[in-house]
Amino acid sequence: LADRLSTRRRIQQRIRQLLVDEFQDIDPVQCDLVRLLALDGDEGTRPGLFVVGDPKQSIYGWRSADLVAYSDFLESVEEVGGEVLALTVNRRSKRPILDEVERTIGTIMEEDRGYQPRFEALVPGRDDAEAGPSGPWSAVEHWISWRWNHARDAPDPRPPANASAQIEARAIAADIARLERSGVPPSRVALLL
């Protein structure tokens, strides 16, 4: 494709639309392939292109996924008149969860081209997005599995894994029992670990 323009044009003519999903996992060679097929040539001679990728989900560095290639490709898309749009509507989580993500991650996630994308706050897109828990609970709880030493105002040394698991199990059981006493049946309890 890179060396033979006639081959590239013939293949481009056979493709009306090119969709690439999970684009954050693309390597430089794959970027070049997509670039040759969808960005090379006049607008009327190349297929339409739609890529979907979340650089925060790029985990395949060991497989040559490359966020520099990803960023360079997005710049190439804009250079030929394409648009790069951020998808920020989250239909899975309610506002209290998204607010907590922004509070804890948004302040420390600094952009580092090729390694770390910039933080993008998410907007809830659910009908019940504003609904939070009722009763004396918060929508998001942060737990640590070792004890706080109030005399030193610092955590005790981290216990062995088995002891941590016991601390977590007791805390979870106590929280579920507290929910049940307040009228929440155990069938309405879910744990996300």
Side-chain angles (χ1 to χ4, degrees):
L1 291 177
D3 298 334
R4 296 188 181 169
L5 180 61
S6 61
T7 301
R8 187 163 66 244
R9 294 293 181 252
R10 189 176 74 249
I11 292 173
Q12 284 177 320
Q13 289 172 359
R14 293 170 52 191
I15 303 170
R16 284 188 56 212
Q17 296 289 326
L18 181 61
L19 166 66
V20 184
D21 196 9
E22 302 295 344
F23 198 75
Q24 74 275 358
D25 298 328
I26 202 162
D27 67 33
V29 173
Q30 293 166 327
C31 272
D32 287 342
L33 179 63
V34 175
R35 184 178 287 109
L36 288 167
L37 289 174
L39 301 182
D40 180 66
D42 297 327
E43 189 173 340
T45 64
R46 62 182 191 250
L49 175 65
F50 189 88
V51 299
V52 179
D54 181 353
K56 295 184 298 303
Q57 294 184 36
S58 183
I59 60 172
Y60 290 107
W62 55 271
R63 205 178 66 186
S64 302
D66 187 332
L67 285 180
V68 171
Y70 174 94
S71 298
D72 288 348
F73 187 87
L74 296 185
E75 290 173 7
S76 297
V77 166
E78 291 178 317
E79 287 171 7
V80 298
E83 287 184 87
V84 176
L85 304 171
L87 298 174
T88 59
V89 176
N90 178 302
R91 300 191 191 289
R92 293 180 183 167
S93 302
K94 296 183 179 184
R95 179 172 299 284
I97 293 171
L98 299 179
D99 287 348
E100 188 64 12
V101 168
E102 184 172 359
R103 187 186 73 77
T104 57
I105 304 299
T107 57
I108 61 171
M109 188 174 173
E110 294 181 9
E111 184 174 13
D112 185 358
R113 191 176 190 281
Y115 297 99
Q116 178 65 57
R118 75 176 183 275
F119 179 80
E120 299 244 8
L122 298 175
V123 178
R126 297 171 51 136
D127 291 339
D128 64 345
E130 304 304 321
S134 59
W137 300 277
S138 63
V140 178
E141 295 179 353
H142 296 264
W143 291 9
I144 58 171
S145 59
W146 58 93
R147 301 193 190 282
W148 191 261
N149 185 320
H150 293 283
R152 293 187 306 119
D153 196 28
D156 282 335
R158 188 170 187 148
N162 189 31
S164 289
Q166 289 178 4
I167 293 168
E168 291 170 5
R170 280 190 212 102
I172 290 169
D175 220 29
I176 292 171
R178 186 174 58 144
L179 283 167
E180 191 171 13
R181 284 191 303 274
S182 71
V184 177
S187 63
R188 299 289 300 158
V189 175
L191 298 177
L192 176 62
L193 304 173

